[in-house]
Amino acid sequence: MIKFKNAIKQKIMITSNQLRKKYIDFFVKKNHAHIGSASLIPDNDPTVLFTTAGMHPLVPYLLGEKHPQGNRLVNVQKCVRTGDIDEVGDATHCTFFEMLGNWSLGDYFKKESIEYSYEFLTKELGINPKDIAITVFAGDSDAPKDTESANHWLRLGIPNERIFYLDKVHNWWGPAGQTGPCGPDTEIFIIRDVKCDNPDCSPACNCGKYVEIWNNVFMEYNKQEDGSYIPLKQKNVDTGMGLERTVAMLNGNKSVYEIDLFEKALKVLNNNAKIQDEKGFRIILDHLRTATFMLGDEKGITPSNVDQGYVLRRLIRRAIRYARVIELDVSYLTDIVKAYIEEYADFYKELKENEEKIIKEFEQEVERFSKTLEQGIKRFEKMIEHIPNKIISGQTAFRLYDTFGFPIEMTIELAKEEGFDVDVRGYEQCFEEHRAKSQAGSEQRFKGGLADNKEATARLHTATHLLLGALHKVFDDPNIQQRGSNITAERLRFDFNFDRALTEEELKKIEDIVNEAILKAIPVVCREMPIEDARAEGACGIFGDKYGDIVKVYSIEGYSKELCGGPHAANTKELGKFKIQKEQSSSSGVRRIRATLEE
Ligand code: SER
């Protein structure tokens, strides 16, 4: 784990907003198109729940699809990574962060990418070249040693002793899921004023001397399901710089929580918490920021017991538990959420637009959980007095979940604090039994990837458009919108806003309309047009600025016209027979349909 021990040798005072602006302006000057941040919920990627990097929404374009904005792009992408959620509380880990990124889609490659990064860091930000260290890929049986990148760095003046060759664990990035674009990377580090006793100290050492600031990935491979790497049609560059970490480092802060983006929220804690506990403070600051962005996302997720909604629920509930630890009245948690909306409103318009919803959903979840938390904790404390073997049974953990709303992760955390273990397998068994009883389906979320079974997913993607078109027809309501979409090679899953269960008859009608469109063998037509024209033509879809000014509109004459990145089947006749397998609630006001295409 990286610790922000000592300050950077030469501090560079910069605000988050200044860094965002400098970065975008710099790459726009180098002919990159500025694209907006995509939603936190990935489209059609069954392998992950959240957008984890700037490249994530760009996967189809890295695989060779034409991007409507061109082949040089720059953006600031909101990202969520929950893998390190247990590390939150230290100086650097956050579940939400912003990633500054620039891309070449088959345009420039290593030389220009490295030159741009060097120019930006030394000229725009004014970092002393002597404070920069570099790592490059050492090579293995999958890909050769990256001497080309090293030579570019040498040419720019970084001496050999500050260029380190490291293995795949360190200098390879991707794919974002299990399959897809990936490649060797060169990483840029700032050298800090830290003395290390390790004679082999390098950026791989965790003494804190080297802090990564930027990662330039040279995406030239497509990882297959069998683990092999095949060369991509086009060579891409994908870079990523974490906004919060970079600002903290340049300013010489000891942790990311000291930067300007947290100031307003931190004030609420400082003014109202009775106990000053660093870890508690950081967990609340982090989790509520992530929750604010999830609730305010254009895809509008809400707390629930599955998928993204469950992660959101976990974050909010954990923050509530820590409010209890620092003796902060839970009503102040809303003030923190409001502080974030205010802080980010200029850059992320969706937060302001969805402010009412964010606060309403947030307060509902706080109310739901605060009621049972106290009782649940009491029960927990009493219970552990009577457990001799220091193992909390699966049944008990399940009861804490079912009766008091304790996410299993919270029970594990509480148990750990008391020196107990939890029988997680036993819990899962209870959970499954319960789930089987209530007939909820289980997910195959971690299998497959966007690039797999490309044709099957493209067909299901087209079926998803027909499904939304059919919903509009059956309910004569164009305001029904996509709230989430997840496609595997086997099935589609589509979430949309609707406030009641659909009847058998309605479901049958929807199926009939989709199958009618399939039988008619209608071509699926893709056109690129300015976003205003798409809107004027009545295309549906999420009109964020995700695709910038020029957008792709996919039409199926008489049935659907939708803003979308693709890919799709060429004609509806390729689809086979459409069958709805299940209709259920996804979260409040949102329904979920699962459907398949039969041969
Ligand atoms: N995808 C790479 C990362 O996440 C570079 O953007 O670091």
Side-chain angles (χ1 to χ4, degrees):
M1 182 192 35
I2 301 155
K3 293 214 178 64
F4 277 20
K5 275 189 191 149
N6 297 4
I8 184 173
K9 290 181 189 165
Q10 166 211 351
K11 279 190 205 178
I12 294 166
M13 300 315 282
I14 189 165
T15 66
S16 305
N17 213 19
Q18 282 166 345
L19 181 57
R20 285 193 199 109
K21 190 164 170 356
K22 266 184 193 283
Y23 191 92
I24 292 165
D25 288 351
F26 177 82
F27 282 101
V28 166
K29 262 192 257 143
K30 306 279 184 204
N31 296 321
H32 290 62
H34 177 204
I35 56 170
S37 173
S39 160
L40 275 177
I41 315 296
D43 271 328
N44 301 323
D45 186 343
T47 67
V48 277
L49 292 173
F50 296 102
T51 299
T52 55
M55 61 75 72
H56 203 157
L58 297 172
V59 169
Y61 310 105
L62 294 163
L63 291 173
E65 239 190 78
K66 188 169 161 255
H67 193 285
Q69 297 290 100
N71 50 15
R72 288 177 175 224
L73 309 173
V74 59
N75 90 346
V76 182
Q77 174 65 46
K78 42 186 184 177
C79 299
V80 164
R81 291 187 186 175
T82 50
D84 293 332
I85 191 167
D86 292 332
E87 309 273 354
V88 172
D90 70 6
T92 58
H93 283 91
C94 293
T95 54
F96 172 91
F97 66 100
E98 293 174 75
M99 187 181 276
L100 305 160
N102 60 283
W103 292 273
S104 154
L105 303 169
D107 188 29
Y108 60 83
F109 204 46
K110 295 182 179 174
K111 177 174 180 287
E112 291 85 346
S113 167
I114 288 171
E115 283 171 359
Y116 290 157
S117 292
Y118 187 77
E119 184 183 337
F120 182 73
L121 295 174
T122 57
K123 301 260 160 41
E124 290 294 322
L125 298 185
I127 295 175
N128 185 340
K130 290 203 176 80
D131 292 344
I132 294 177
I134 299 296
T135 61
V136 291
F137 183 52
D140 64 12
S141 54
D142 294 320
K145 181 171 174 176
D146 192 5
T147 43
E148 184 188 340
S149 292
N151 284 336
H152 291 308
W153 287 114
L154 280 169
R155 192 170 43 79
L156 291 169
I158 304 287
N160 254 323
E161 60 272 20
R162 277 192 271 125
I163 301 178
F164 300 85
Y165 285 91
L166 298 178
D167 63 10
K168 212 184 223 124
V169 175
H170 298 97
N171 280 85
W172 188 276
W173 202 89
Q178 287 181 354
T179 58
C182 56
D185 63 39
T186 179
E187 299 184 14
I188 307 168
F189 294 75
I190 300 295
I191 306 170
R192 316 193 99 203
D193 216 357
V194 171
K195 296 260 166 308
C196 177
D197 299 333
N198 178 358
D200 298 322
C201 181
S202 80
C205 177
N206 58 11
C207 64
K209 177 170 175 182
Y210 299 95
V211 180
E212 185 200 331
I213 182 170
W214 207 346
N215 183 10
N216 296 22
V217 187
F218 303 119
M219 294 203 153
E220 20 175 354
Y221 299 97
N222 190 356
K223 187 172 183 189
Q224 307 295 295
E225 224 168 324
D226 64 8
S228 63
Y229 297 86
I230 57 169
L232 276 173
K233 263 196 278 185
Q234 68 186 30
K235 291 183 175 181
N236 308 294
V237 174
D238 154 44
T239 91
M241 178 193 279
L243 175 80
E244 293 85 343
R245 181 193 280 202
T246 305
V247 170
M249 223 195 16
L250 294 177
N251 287 338
N253 296 136
K254 294 247 157 49
S255 97
V256 288
Y257 297 99
E258 285 175 28
I259 70 170
D260 51 1
L261 295 172
F262 291 101
E263 242 167 56
K264 295 188 179 77
L266 186 58
K267 207 183 227 163
V268 180
L269 285 177
N270 278 332
N271 289 346
N272 301 293
K274 298 213 177 68
I275 295 176
Q276 298 279 323
D277 173 75
E278 193 171 62
K279 180 177 168 203
F281 270 37
R282 288 176 177 176
I283 286 176
I284 292 175
L285 287 174
D286 172 80
H287 288 12
L288 292 190
R289 184 170 70 135
T290 311
T292 305
F293 273 91
M294 286 183 180
L295 287 164
D297 191 85
E298 47 273 47
K299 294 247 179 94
I301 60 166
T302 47
S304 75
N305 287 334
V306 288
D307 298 342
Q308 288 93 351
Y310 179 68
V311 178
L312 171 59
R313 168 158 286 168
R314 252 176 84 188
L315 291 167
I316 299 177
R317 293 190 173 189
R318 192 160 183 244
I320 298 171
R321 178 164 99 75
Y322 274 93
R324 188 177 178 273
V325 172
I326 62 167
E327 293 187 16
L328 175 80
D329 190 281
V330 287
S331 63
Y332 291 114
L333 296 180
T334 306
D335 293 347
I336 296 177
V337 169
K338 284 182 185 160
Y340 282 132
I341 297 174
E342 200 187 315
E343 177 61 48
Y344 285 97
D346 286 343
F347 205 77
Y348 296 97
K349 305 265 184 272
E350 65 272 23
L351 295 188
K352 201 73 203 162
E353 276 158 24
N354 296 328
E355 181 165 14
E356 226 173 278
K357 186 206 143 201
I358 298 173
I359 292 169
K360 186 175 131 242
E361 291 286 348
F362 179 75
E363 289 191 329
Q364 271 176 10
E365 183 66 11
V366 171
E367 201 187 306
R368 255 182 236 129
F369 191 56
S370 321
K371 270 195 210 131
T372 55
L373 174 69
E374 211 49 44
Q375 278 171 290
I377 298 244
K378 276 197 194 117
R379 168 73 66 91
F380 177 86
E381 282 164 357
K382 227 196 188 125
M383 210 176 54
I384 56 173
E385 284 171 19
H386 305 289
I387 301 177
N389 62 356
K390 297 228 156 205
I391 294 177
I392 293 172
S393 75
Q395 247 170 354
T396 303
F398 183 70
R399 211 173 316 127
L400 284 169
Y401 166 77
D402 203 35
T403 314
F404 301 105
F406 279 32
I408 179 68
E409 296 79 5
M410 183 181 292
T411 302
I412 296 171
E413 192 174 63
L414 282 165
K416 209 164 138 197
E417 284 168 18
E418 303 290 337
F420 279 62
D421 277 328
V422 180
D423 174 9
V424 178
R425 278 198 56 175
Y427 164 83
E428 280 165 1
Q429 260 165 14
C430 291
F431 192 87
E432 273 314 314
E433 276 163 28
H434 179 82
R435 202 142 73 152
K437 272 189 214 142
S438 60
Q439 295 194 321
S442 73
E443 274 297 323
Q444 288 278 304
R445 186 187 325 133
F446 296 106
K447 265 174 64 186
L450 185 80
D452 309 334
N453 307 306
K454 234 179 147 188
E455 282 169 22
T457 50
R459 281 197 293 271
L460 282 158
H461 192 176
T462 306
T464 306
H465 281 213
L466 289 173
L467 169 60
L468 178 59
L471 284 164
H472 290 158
K473 279 190 203 280
V474 169
F475 297 105
D476 194 18
D477 180 0
N479 295 321
I480 298 178
Q481 280 174 10
Q482 168 172 329
R483 281 298 165 81
S485 166
N486 174 295
I487 297 174
T488 67
E490 289 81 32
R491 57 108 184 104
L492 68 85
R493 198 185 76 195
F494 184 70
D495 294 353
F496 56 100
N497 52 313
F498 201 71
D499 53 14
R500 62 167 172 83
L502 276 66
T503 64
E504 283 297 320
E505 201 188 332
E506 286 161 351
L507 292 171
K508 174 84 176 51
K509 267 193 202 157
I510 293 166
E511 264 183 9
D512 287 349
I513 292 173
V514 175
N515 283 317
E516 176 189 278
I518 294 172
L519 278 177
K520 282 190 188 164
I522 309 167
V524 182
V525 180
C526 173
R527 286 170 305 146
E528 289 180 17
M529 61 178 80
I531 194 155
E532 301 75 27
D533 295 2
R535 215 178 257 138
E537 280 194 11
C540 60
I542 296 158
F543 280 87
D545 45 3
K546 174 175 170 184
Y547 301 117
D549 296 327
I550 302 289
V551 292
K552 279 189 187 175
V553 173
Y554 279 87
S555 315
I556 303 166
E557 183 66 33
Y559 290 88
S560 154
K561 188 180 285 183
E562 203 175 315
L563 224 73
C564 177
H568 279 276
N571 189 299
T572 59
K573 71 179 176 202
E574 294 168 23
L575 268 52
K577 192 163 185 311
F578 177 77
K579 180 116 190 57
I580 294 179
Q581 302 293 349
K582 190 165 186 173
E583 189 274 341
Q584 66 191 125
S585 161
S586 157
S587 57
S588 86
V590 179
R591 305 296 301 178
R592 168 170 289 184
I593 284 181
R594 283 164 209 266
T596 51
L597 289 171
E598 290 162 7
E599 294 294 319

